[in-house]
Amino acid sequence: MREALLAAAGAASLAALLAWLGPPGNDLAAHVYQRTVFLDDGYELWNNFWYGGRYSFITYSVIYYPLAALFGIQPLAVASIATAALAFAVVVGRQWGPLARWSSRTFAVVWAGLIISAAFPFALGFAFGLLALWALQAGKRWQFGLLAVLTLLASPLAFLLMSILLAGVALDLRERGRRLLVPALIIVGIGMAQVLLTRAFQDGGRYPFPNWQLAAVATFCTLGVALTWRVDRAQALRWFFVALFAVCLFSYLVPSPVGENVARIRFVALPIAVLIVSIRGWRPISVSAVALLLAAMWNLSPHAWSFERGRAEQPAAKAAYWQPAIEYLNENLTASYRVEVVDTAGHWAAVHLPEAGIPLVRGWFRQDDFPQNEILYKNLNQETYLSWLHGLGVKYVVLTDSPADYSAKHEEKLVASGRSGLQPVYLSQRLTVFAVPNARPIVTGPAPAEVVDVGQGHILLRLERPGRYRIAVRHSPYWRSDAGCVARGSDDTLVLAARRSGLVRLEFRVGARRALAAVVGAARAAC
């Protein structure tokens, strides 16, 4: 336990330094905004200010944002990292004894680097997952079950990685399977609940899985199997690598919101490599050195990249950077239109503009770009770009001098070239606002219509006469209106068949009957 306490203290100290003195983390913008949303609006399950509407909280992390609202983002992150370091040291120490000492120490250092990426819900879920494994080692199965549920509620991805590890252990102990029968049933039960939740709130999004990342996973798993082959004390690790590669290959072949995220095992690649070479007695030394070098490169390269990007994005993280655009848009933008910001590396527009009540076409969750914004990842021309902007009700586009996200490189080049068809209407020291020619409003139909008000989970319209209206908001079966029927359009937007004119209110309301219909794929128009 002394070793575990030292690991926790070291991880907490390093994490605190990075949290309060380092640059903003790669994912920090999302947590800042969503924590603000939770504080202002409570547990809203829909967000109208990103991506033309998206599910909020329920599909990403059920408990992280309430905890972040209670304790603060940085304190919760440091506590999550320290807890994970403590639990990791206990788990590997119980399994491998003194041989695991350097692995737990390495984990304490590299896991603190997660502050730089700001993957905080994942860090919280990973901490719960390690505590669950600790409970399982101690034979406390129902405590394991509770902690496994908390793992899922904090981060479905962390739950998936914990399940992969347990699958590896189960394969190793398949002759003594009864020992893992209850834990396996618990994992399967929790996993099925997550499947039902995902079905109830599916949005068709997917996360990319690049070829190079699959190659890196394959290399890691191949070396892991080779280095644990016929090493008695490392059998469970060998089967873990087999299970991990199988899941990664499935995620690569079958597009889903998980995608490349399953490769986040890279954040513990170096501690795992240190553990393996320690079990092998660092023999042969040349192979051990190569394995450690490759693991260190894969583990630390995203931290180095995030650190450099965070430094470059520090000006854009401040509200003052966006204030000129916000002031112009507040004077000229009506609720009937959206704004597109050529996305920056840190996605800070997704914080400061929505906080000012300005809805955006994009946000922070890359899964939500597909398929609606997939066009941005390809070469653009004026025709395709303007068609995309018109379809989403965009009136203004903002271009900044901040480094662009990789998904916005083509858009940045087109807008900056002057060949986009956009007209510059405002210029400040660091950003330019462009007007979209012939902009189309969010609501279009047989008569003039306007958006009077937009909230997280409601839209107030004024219609001149009844009829069928297209509303450029992502479809969900939980939208309804007492003024007519709400259905899915051919382009996955909302279609309102309004029975009357005047003020019409659309509300996002989740009901048991609609949720069950969504799960079984029988959701119809809400009337």
Side-chain angles (χ1 to χ4, degrees):
M1 183 55 73
R2 178 176 175 273
E3 184 70 31
L5 291 173
L6 287 174
S13 300
L14 183 55
L17 287 173
L18 291 171
W20 277 282
L21 300 180
N26 187 43
D27 294 347
L28 184 59
H31 310 317
V32 170
Y33 174 64
Q34 296 213 128
R35 178 179 182 269
T36 301
V37 170
F38 182 84
L39 288 170
D40 292 344
D41 300 298
Y43 212 83
E44 290 277 359
L45 300 185
W46 185 264
N47 179 357
N48 269 323
F49 292 88
W50 282 3
Y51 294 103
R54 65 175 300 274
Y55 292 120
S56 183
F57 301 131
I58 192 69
T59 56
Y60 181 68
S61 178
V62 175
I63 63 173
Y64 171 76
Y65 294 104
L67 291 175
L70 181 62
F71 298 108
I73 292 175
Q74 283 85 358
L76 180 59
V78 172
S80 299
I81 286 170
T83 301
L86 175 74
F88 183 89
V90 170
V91 169
V92 298
R94 284 189 170 191
Q95 185 69 27
W96 289 284
L99 288 175
R101 182 180 298 118
W102 283 106
S103 176
S104 63
R105 293 174 180 176
T106 305
F107 179 90
V109 174
V110 301
W111 195 247
L114 210 64
I115 291 287
I116 302 171
S117 71
F120 296 148
F122 177 66
L124 178 64
F126 205 84
F128 280 130
L130 287 170
L131 289 173
L133 295 177
W134 183 354
L136 189 59
Q137 278 185 327
K140 300 176 180 179
R141 294 177 177 177
W142 299 114
Q143 289 185 20
F144 163 77
L146 174 61
L147 289 164
V149 170
L150 291 173
T151 302
L152 178 66
L153 294 178
S155 170
L157 179 61
F159 177 80
L160 175 61
L161 293 180
M162 182 186 72
S163 301
I164 293 171
L165 175 60
L166 290 176
V169 174
L171 288 170
D172 179 45
L173 298 177
R174 55 193 181 278
E175 295 87 2
R176 294 167 286 165
R178 292 184 179 179
R179 291 177 56 186
L180 289 177
L181 179 60
V182 172
L185 291 175
I186 292 172
I187 290 295
V188 170
I190 297 171
M192 288 302 297
Q194 175 62 21
V195 169
L196 294 176
L197 186 68
T198 302
R199 286 282 298 172
F201 295 95
Q202 59 185 319
D203 58 7
R206 64 184 187 272
Y207 197 92
F209 200 136
N211 294 334
W212 70 266
Q213 190 67 275
L214 180 67
V217 171
T219 301
F220 179 67
C221 292
T222 301
L223 282 173
V225 170
L227 291 173
T228 55
W229 191 261
R230 294 183 179 177
V231 180
D232 292 338
R233 300 196 66 182
Q235 293 302 307
L237 289 174
R238 181 183 71 187
W239 286 108
F240 162 71
F241 289 117
V242 173
L244 175 65
F245 181 71
V247 172
C248 287
L249 183 60
F250 179 83
S251 186
Y252 174 81
L253 295 174
V254 181
S256 74
V258 177
E260 179 195 359
N261 282 313
V262 72
R264 279 192 183 178
I265 194 66
R266 68 189 300 182
F267 290 136
V268 290
L270 185 55
I272 291 173
V274 171
L275 177 61
I276 292 172
V277 298
S278 297
I279 294 172
R280 292 179 58 92
W282 297 78
R283 295 191 299 268
I285 188 65
S286 58
V287 174
S288 297
V290 170
L292 289 175
L293 178 61
L294 291 176
M297 291 171 59
W298 197 42
N299 195 148
L300 300 178
S301 58
H303 294 327
W305 175 76
S306 295
F307 187 86
E308 189 58 35
R309 191 164 79 164
R311 289 179 58 189
E313 273 281 284
Q314 277 184 308
K318 299 176 181 178
Y321 181 92
W322 302 96
Q323 196 58 37
I326 290 171
E327 291 177 357
Y328 178 85
L329 294 171
N330 281 338
E331 291 178 2
N332 295 276
L333 183 73
T334 69
S336 292
Y337 297 90
R338 291 194 185 92
V339 170
E340 159 66 354
V341 177
V342 179
D343 200 18
T344 64
H347 315 289
W348 284 99
V351 176
H352 299 297
L353 272 68
E355 283 184 349
I358 300 170
L360 300 180
V361 174
R362 303 186 71 191
W364 174 84
F365 287 86
R366 198 171 301 280
Q367 293 94 324
D368 291 312
D369 270 330
F370 301 90
Q372 176 179 277
N373 305 325
E374 188 172 2
I375 189 175
L376 298 179
Y377 293 74
K378 307 171 183 177
N379 285 321
L380 290 170
N381 58 43
Q382 181 183 122
E383 182 180 359
T384 57
Y385 186 52
L386 290 179
S387 175
W388 176 74
L389 294 172
H390 288 155
L392 293 169
V394 177
K395 188 169 186 177
Y396 294 105
V397 174
V398 180
L399 177 66
T400 73
D401 65 356
S402 191
D405 181 71
Y406 79 86
S407 66
K409 294 294 186 182
H410 298 300
E411 183 183 13
E412 179 190 42
K413 182 179 179 181
L414 179 64
V415 175
S417 71
R419 297 191 298 270
S420 64
L422 305 179
Q423 301 297 320
V425 291
Y426 177 79
L427 177 65
S428 73
Q429 182 179 359
R430 309 203 70 162
L431 55 83
T432 305
V433 179
F434 295 85
V436 177
N438 304 313
R440 298 175 192 168
I442 292 172
V443 183
T444 54
E450 68 171 317
V451 178
V452 178
D453 181 56
V454 177
Q456 292 292 343
H458 75 269
I459 303 172
L460 186 63
L461 312 176
R462 180 178 286 111
L463 309 179
E464 285 203 4
R465 63 184 172 94
R468 185 178 176 88
Y469 292 85
R470 175 187 183 269
I471 304 172
V473 171
R474 284 191 174 188
H475 174 265
S476 166
Y478 306 111
W479 279 108
R480 59 190 68 190
S481 173
D482 58 4
C485 296
V486 182
R488 182 195 296 268
S490 58
D491 56 355
D492 283 330
T493 57
L494 298 180
V495 173
L496 171 65
R499 294 188 295 263
R500 59 176 173 81
S501 59
L503 288 178
V504 172
R505 185 179 177 90
L506 276 77
E507 294 233 16
F508 181 90
R509 296 200 305 270
V510 177
R513 183 176 297 178
R514 301 296 298 177
L516 180 60
V519 168
V520 300
R524 297 180 180 178
C527 299

